[in-house]
Amino acid sequence: MSEKEEPRVGVYTCHCGGNISDVVRCERVMTALKKLDNVVVSRTDMSMCSDAGQAMVEADIAEYGLNRIVIGACSPSLHEQTFRGTVARAGLNPYLYHHVGIREQNSWVHKDDREGATQKAIRLMAAGIAKARLLDPLEPIRLSAKRHALIIGGGIAGLRAAWDIARRGIQVTLIEKSPFLGGHMAQLESVFPTGEAARGTLHDLIDKVTGHPNVTIHTRAELVGMSGYVGDYQATIRQQSRGIKEGFTGIDKLIENCPLEVPDEFNYGLTKRKAIYTAYPGCYPPTPAVDWENCNKCGDCLKSLNGERGLISLENEPHDFDLTVGAVVVATGFRLYEPAQGEYGYGEFPEVITLAQLIRLLALNGEKELVWNGRTVHNLAFIHCVGSRQIDGINEPQPDGQVNNYCSRVCCTATLHAANELRERFPAINLYDFYEDIRTYGRGHEEYYTEASKNMVRFLRFHDDELPRVTPDPYANGTGALLVTAKDYLTWGQEIDAPVDLVVLATGVMPNPIDDIIKLLKVSPGTDRFLLEVHPKLRPVETAVPGVVLAGTAQGPMNIQESCAAASAAAAKVAVLLGQGRVELEPFVAHVDPDRCDGTGECVTVCAYEDAIILAGVNGATKAVVTPANCAGCGSCVSACPNQAIDLQGWSLSQYEAMLDAIASDSLPVVA
Amino acid sequence: MTKEDAKKRAIFLKNLRAQHEETVERTQTLLKEQKAIRRQICQPMRDGPKTIPELAQITGLPGNEILWHITAMKKYDLIVEAGMCAEYYLYQRPEGVK
Amino acid sequence: MTQENLHVDTLVVGGGIAGMQSALDLADQGFRVALVEKEASIGGKMIALSKVFPTLDCCSCITTPKMSAVAHHENIDLLTYCEIGAIHENGGGFVADVTKKPRYVNEADCTGCRQCEYACPIDLPNAFDMDLGAMRAIRVPFSTAVPQKAVLDIENCILCGKCEQTCPVNCIDFTQQPEQFQIEADAIVLATGFGLTPTDAKKEYGAGQLLNVVDALTVERLLAPTGPYGHVLRPSDGKEPDSIAYVQCAGSRDTTLGVEYCSRVCCMYAIKQAMLLSGALPLADITIYYMDIRTFGKGYEQFYQNARAMGIEFVKGKVARITEDDDKNPVVRVELIDEGSQIVERAHDMIVLSVGMVPGYNPQAIYGVPIDASDGFIEIPSPNIAPTVTNHEGIFATGTAVSPMDIVDSIVMAGAAAAETAAYLQSRNGHSYKLPISGSMEMEVAHV
Amino acid sequence: MMANRMDPNLLIDLKRYGEKGAVNIEACFNCGNCTAVCPLTSDDHPFPRNTIRLMQLGLKDQILQSSDPWLCYYCGECTETCPRGAEPAEAQMALRRWLTAQYDWTGLARKFYTSEVWEIGSIILVGVLIALAFIFFHGPIVTDQVELNTFAPVDVIHIGDWIMALLLLFFLLTNALRMHNFIMRRGTKTKIPLAAYASELWSLPYHFATQKRWATCEERPSWISHLLLVSGYVLMLVIIVFFLPWFQTDNVYPLYHPQRWLGYYATIVLLYGAGRAIWGRLEKARQMHRFSHASDWMFPILLFTVTLTGILVHIFRYAGLPMATYVTYVVHLALLVPMLVLEVPFGKWSHLAYRPLAIYFEAVKVKAREMEQAELAPATV
Amino acid sequence: METKPKILILATLSGGYAGADSVGQLHANYPSNAYILPVVCPSMFSESFYLRAFERGIDGILLMYSGTDCPFKGGAERTAQIVNKTFPLMKEKGIDPRRLRLVAICTVCTKPFLKEVNQMNDLLRGIGPVKMEMAHAVIGD
């Protein structure tokens, strides 16, 4: 900073209408500061923030050619911005202004020590001047931002985010791993709290999204590469072949001819599907896809074709393509907890199923009576908190050694919703519900609990350390019926038996396995394995990686409403970031002096922000290079550098040292 | 302030008070009551710091009311805390405040 | 200074956390926003809280940056102490009639020095401290108020003129009158917040007459570093309580009170306060009487388990009655459901009613936005897919105006309202927001 | 612990014992408010939630073994404060009807409670039989002056009274015995020595006469009016069963004569008590009157009309209207007899017996426990 | 001239500095020899910065950081690490390690703020100027 212009400092001490001057002898401060090096003008004023006060500063800058301004007044939180504006109006770089707090930090807290307060004011102001001498003009970091967002995940959250972002005139590319859009919501029939048809609502949104000119959708596509920084990310996407060209018409025949039958994941394995399939009638896109994992390329499907062979290819030819995007929305969603073998009899008795399976069963089942395994279900028990609210030492840990100690948030209302539907459709059925706490928290949710009660669902409350047991019913005479036994705390701890034909486990929510995406995006999961936000209140949908935001259940269990709200909030953040086509960041970031840097890499080691500092070859030597877009400006690197080659712009170490010296100095012009 | 200004101001305030007669009167009564209660509360503190139940016993005023006045006075440094006696804080007048 | 009419893109009604966040998210996108708040400071209910769950952050530390950002944002006109009288439709947009209430303080000049406050002789119950502490007839609303300006309560003023004499910048102005002005806006975001379920309605809980039975917001103030007593003391006699009990669902899930829904936040705030209280009063016994513990949010269940591990006692059973013994100790009568259904009467030093949330404001009179007859909150016709869109085109709702919710959910929903509003504004002609030139990305037809 | 098997159908059956929509305990979410608010609940008998819970789960044996429903006097506090509008008090009421039916071995009680046709039909049938008996077997009809004892010879009527009383007692006692079996034999593990029965026997007439527990409830006026009703009722019963010749007479006694004022007292309190009960049920102002089962109407209406016809007989006799006296007398008996033979052992009236019995049984249990402990105590010291 | 100990308070903008504002709002009193400078995150200061401060005559340093509320990843941990590493270096130079103190102060933590300042002031009055201490240490060697 050798060729810096000679500092010409203007320094002003505010009376604050007596708030400062009643304690601090402002005139003395003014006189004392006049004697300091580089101080060209020193004045006081009754109220610096008034128009007159600000006009005075502007006039002085013009008249005396001031290039640094220091004002001692109220706390910087109140008026630092005001005076930056003043300075800017006078044609000076706003960062050549320094604000010293001498009201909250001085006059108001030393009322009975006028002399001490005056001396302190002089020292603080002198320190301010010392810093001002070293101030550099700064410019906000402006990055051009690609007005294009990548959304990972084509469930309700991803779709909702796509819709909101696209409507703001920003390009959206949505990638979905599976061949079909809609995620878990497509597998539901009616949804709480409205009872609306799930797929109806979903398809309204899909139609809007797919019909929007700003949206591009790639199914069977996954993120496989990622580099760059906020506003300018390079994403590599790998798309699997669909096997069947769009617009092919002989679909039914094609599927019919496939000899393979595999469990249909759409119905959670309750039914079978072919190796060429569509998720469900009316799904988007309507074109079937070849299930590459199961297809054995027998070619039977082709037999139904009459010379249209070009429309089908049984070779999966994944292809990669690159995309430049300004921001990424992670909407990778959730998967359901898979109960352990034997957990509440799951996998042991065929009469134990999950809630998701029951919902599909209800969709597939006829109207008269509920039939499972060829037998009519007269008695049915729900068990809550399966795979949720687990406790170390009581519940079987997951393969990664962890237990799900969180509440999955949606299962209570979903269970009661199913119970009410059962009662309405099969009035004679007896329903039992084994729970720990009923958590119908949302608007319109408690009504489901009330309704279920009215529907004569019998509720039994167990404690987390004594889980219900599922055993064959000794009185069932080999009909396969089960007995659910629980120590029921509503019946003063008595053991109660419920004889049932079907046990339904309300399984919890877990994040989808997205380790590869986590690695590529450098985002971090929390202890519950869901993706972590920066702060649940300050920045609830943003990750620590600039430009990477979270939507929906990738972040934690949520219902549809909450997923949509979170997705929209994420969209708002993307719109803020990319709406202007550029990103403007505060200039208070690390800055490397290449002359001093000898590439030890200490700064890179301590930096907690991915790619904020890297070592790179500069003119043949290894130097630290800061990517301002990724730097948070904490300054950890400053203390780590052995050569003092890296510093924080606007808050530099030398400035602090100068301030410290001014405060420590015994030779201040403290006049009486 | 010149004499004339002071006069103007006095007339202005008088008119204003006439305008707000009802609220001013009510508030003045409240103020009088407050002052009387506070005298009652502060009197016993001359013999040393007191707890709320002690003050309640001496003054016959309800504890919650005393606590409110103490809190109010404490906010503007007219009363300070002086340690604790069992589960109760002790209150006293700060030095220099009568 | 008179308030001029404004023309903005969006009018945000309510300066609590939801309103502030919506305003910021819109302003950051380049839209002009007018934020209207009826109180003298923004911050809403959140700024009165002590610490917030589940992170136990200092609440002020989270709220004040947002308040300050709102105040300083170049795209936001902040209008405090203003009430909206009526909203008319105007060619697809809206015109709001706003009344700016007189502060009797010249806002532009006031430096927030509080000298007037010190000079004022009148002490009044401080509503910000739930009436436990005092405030002067002229005061800066609270230490972190934004704007940091004094306001005079003329209804409780003796017009002694002491403030006027003391003010260093001569900003007291007894001549101020209510000012009328209009805000033209293309869209409206309602963030009118919540009120507490009334505790005096429940005669079994003392109908609000028992001094040591307080509501949870009172305890927030007791716990806040800037609270009225500076310690946790019970209101009847300033005793430091040894035994504190929480009564859950004291205003929710109860047909006899007409509030049948769950207020969603009470379990967590009770647990949080219990934890903070055991920090402030390490020897105190803390009990929470509950029906269901609903710790459903991210990190909430762990929070609950931590509280259990800390020794906070959770008792399943709805408190049926609260009475008072001779020492003004409140006594609960409850069935210990998990312990063999015994009926017990237990005396505590202080009882906290975990009151719930009711709508803070009925917008129907001036906006014509329908509310739900069953719960009084703003009706959302399609809550799943469009949780912030009301029945009225161009009007959006967010935060606790829509339903009870905690701060995290309010902030997320505020972002959602901003996204929805922004898209709405963009879809309209003649909006002030200039659509940036499309990027270099070619318009691709959706394909698979 | 022996596991209990739920019976989901019991609740459906139980609901038949309440007025339509009145038994709403499926709405209960077991918060415990009702039990904690109840002025009569105790550590040994925390109700009403415990009985509601048993009803919800259909644990029939445990319900049968419980005397708790009889300990409730329907003050309505629980219903008034129930956060879910589950009507706990009404559930107790319905359960008392169900228990009455369970105690009754003839099955008539069940028919009466669950079928209005059965209840009203049987009353009409018995009433018609009585009327027919008079039509065919009445004494000479003297028309120039009132000679009731000639029309209906008092000793014949008295014999009828005795037969009726014995019949009624037989059914009541056998039912009470079944109640004893449920509560005292199946419902307790402690062996109950006869001494315990003896030592607590005093409480049976005491509680029968005073209904003292009810006074613990906040609604004192109800207790007093009910107490008056009971006193009039018992007085009348004693008079007609034991002293009919003294009561039913053609002599006109002076006003101060006990025959006159006892009769007047009994009829006035009966009219007042029954009238108040009917009025209350019409008005529905108090919790206990909000729901009225057919059986709730039948008993006070019968009582009221019986008393009314009794008074009319008295008035017509004084007025010297022979035919009116005889006809009214027949109507009076046609109402009185079904009331006594049907309502007392099988209907609403039976609670008058079961309540003090339940209190007595519980007192005996406590006594037995005390005795057992007293026996054990020296050994352990 | 009276020799009051010099206390330097380095307070984070998101925590301690705002806390100092709140103390000011309360018009509370604390010693005027406490000088407050705002910092973004104290993790930028190395051990040598603190040593240099003591050498220049700062008698005590209060680091008022944001603790677990620190908005920067790893900022709080790194600050604590550096401070821990500074203590032995201070001892080497004969400086009482109590002269450097790291405390978490929130935006409305007025009472802890006052407590810390007063405690530090009392301590420094007790143990005397840092320059004397360092001089003694040199002689002692």
Side-chain angles (χ1 to χ4, degrees), chain C residues 324-401:
Chain C
E324 208 172 56
D325 69 9
D326 293 341
D327 295 327
K328 290 213 157 52
N329 297 317
V331 181
V332 297
R333 197 174 146 87
V334 64
E335 179 185 349
L336 307 181
I337 291 179
D338 280 354
E339 287 151 58
S341 295
Q342 271 172 281
I343 303 296
V344 289
E345 294 204 347
R346 285 189 186 170
H348 298 278
D349 286 335
M350 187 163 94
I351 284 179
V352 188
L353 298 180
S354 289
V355 290
M357 287 181 171
V358 291
Y361 188 69
N362 180 353
Q364 246 177 334
I366 54 171
Y367 308 119
V369 177
I371 58 166
D372 188 307
S374 69
D375 59 18
F377 289 98
I378 293 170
E379 196 172 287
I380 303 293
S382 188
N384 276 324
I385 207 79
T388 61
V389 180
T390 72
N391 262 324
H392 197 301
E393 196 188 314
I395 300 185
F396 305 90
T398 190
T400 49

Side-chain angles (χ1 to χ4, degrees), chain B residues 49-54 80-92, chain C residues 230-234 237-242 280-283:
Chain B
K50 295 277 180 298
T51 64
I52 306 274
E54 283 168 351
V80 291
E81 271 167 18
M84 276 189 98
C85 173
E87 294 145 319
Y88 293 93
Y89 279 88
L90 288 159
Y91 301 96
Q92 68 180 31
Chain C
H231 315 279
V232 177
L233 305 177
R234 67 176 194 176
D237 59 358
K239 183 185 177 186
E240 200 162 67
D242 284 336
L281 309 166
L283 298 176

Side-chain angles (χ1 to χ4, degrees), chain C residues 397-426:
Chain C
T398 190
T400 49
V402 174
S403 84
M405 65 178 77
D406 61 27
I407 295 167
V408 178
D409 290 339
S410 286
I411 290 174
V412 169
M413 204 170 176
E420 197 74 71
T421 310
Y424 173 78
L425 288 170
Q426 184 151 357

Side-chain angles (χ1 to χ4, degrees), chain A residues 16-19 22 46-47 49 77-78 81 103 108 146-148 156 160 163-164 167-169 171 173 179 185 191-194 196 201-202 205 210 212-219 239 242 246 284-285 323-324 389 391 405-409 435-444 446-447 449-450 461 463-464 489-490 492 528 530-533 535-541 555-556 559-562 564-566 568-569 571-573 575-576 579-581, chain C residues 21 24-25 28-31 46 52-55 57 61-63 65-66 68 72 111-115 118 148 167-169 253 260-264 290-302 304-305 308 316 335 337-341 371-372 374-387 402-404 407-409 411-413 415-420 422-424 426-427 433 435-448:
Chain A
C16 196
N19 275 297
D22 284 354
M46 190 44 105
S47 171
C49 59
S77 63
L78 293 173
Q81 291 301 329
R103 189 174 79 165
W108 276 358
K146 191 81 185 161
R147 301 190 68 256
H148 192 147
I156 184 70
R160 177 71 228 209
W163 171 231
D164 283 326
R167 283 192 294 166
R168 295 286 288 110
Q171 294 294 313
T173 297
M185 188 172 172
V191 287
F192 66 80
T194 50
E196 68 203 286
T201 304
L202 180 68
L205 184 64
T210 53
H212 201 287
N214 290 351
V215 180
T216 310
I217 291 173
H218 302 284
T219 55
Q239 191 170 27
R242 198 169 191 83
E246 208 181 337
Y284 186 90
L323 211 57
T324 308
R389 300 182 69 186
I391 290 185
N405 51 19
Y406 52 85
C407 164
S408 289
R409 196 163 171 149
Y435 76 100
E436 291 181 60
D437 294 285
I438 292 289
R439 295 184 166 173
T440 43
Y441 60 88
R443 188 184 193 184
E446 185 77 1
E447 284 85 334
Y449 187 18
T450 314
R461 182 171 191 261
H463 276 190
D464 50 16
Y489 280 86
L490 299 179
W492 39 102
D528 55 6
F530 288 97
L531 293 180
L532 199 60
E533 63 287 333
H535 185 279
K537 294 184 182 67
L538 288 172
R539 292 162 70 189
V541 293
Q555 191 186 1
N559 61 33
I560 292 164
Q561 173 176 5
E562 290 154 353
C564 284
S568 291
K573 291 296 167 206
V576 168
Q580 321 280 345
Chain C
Q21 187 66 51
L24 286 171
D25 281 346
D28 282 347
Q29 292 182 54
F31 296 103
M46 182 176 172
V52 281
F53 59 78
T55 44
D57 298 297
C61 304
I62 293 165
T63 325
K66 299 219 191 240
S68 159
H72 289 133
T111 62
C113 71
R114 294 177 77 208
Q115 289 195 23
Y118 276 79
Q148 188 71 212
C167 178
V169 290
R253 301 180 70 195
E260 294 181 35
Y261 53 82
C262 165
S263 287
R264 194 160 167 167
Y290 71 96
M291 301 205 288
D292 291 286
I293 289 291
R294 295 187 164 173
T295 48
F296 53 82
K298 190 170 182 175
Y300 294 4
E301 179 68 16
Q302 202 51 43
Y304 166 43
Q305 299 302 344
R308 279 170 65 171
K316 163 106 177 152
E335 179 185 349
I337 291 179
D338 280 354
E339 287 151 58
S341 295
I371 58 166
D372 188 307
S374 69
D375 59 18
F377 289 98
I378 293 170
E379 196 172 287
I380 303 293
S382 188
N384 276 324
I385 207 79
V402 174
S403 84
I407 295 167
V408 178
D409 290 339
I411 290 174
V412 169
M413 204 170 176
E420 197 74 71
Y424 173 78
Q426 184 151 357
S427 72
Y433 178 81
L435 185 65
I437 298 151
S438 177
S440 61
M441 186 72 192
E442 279 172 56
M443 297 278 184
E444 280 177 303
V445 180
H447 76 274
V448 182

Side-chain angles (χ1 to χ4, degrees), chain A residues 564-600:
Chain A
C564 284
S568 291
K573 291 296 167 206
V574 171
V576 168
L577 208 57
L578 308 183
Q580 321 280 345
R582 60 169 196 278
V583 182
E584 203 160 281
L585 305 169
E586 287 250 53
F588 306 124
V589 293
H591 176 83
V592 180
D593 178 354
D595 297 341
R596 285 187 169 186
C597 176
D598 54 13
T600 59

Side-chain angles (χ1 to χ4, degrees), chain C residues 91-112:
Chain C
F94 304 94
V95 178
D97 294 335
V98 188
T99 306
K100 188 174 171 59
K101 296 180 272 187
R103 275 178 180 263
Y104 301 102
V105 168
N106 189 336
E107 221 176 310
D109 295 343
C110 176
T111 62

Side-chain angles (χ1 to χ4, degrees), chain C residues 55-84:
Chain C
T55 44
L56 289 183
D57 298 297
C58 144
C59 188
S60 161
C61 304
I62 293 165
T63 325
T64 44
K66 299 219 191 240
M67 290 161 75
S68 159
V70 166
H72 289 133
H73 206 292
E74 55 176 3
N75 284 339
I76 298 178
D77 285 298
L78 176 58
L79 301 146
T80 53
Y81 223 42
C82 288
E83 296 223 15
I84 297 178

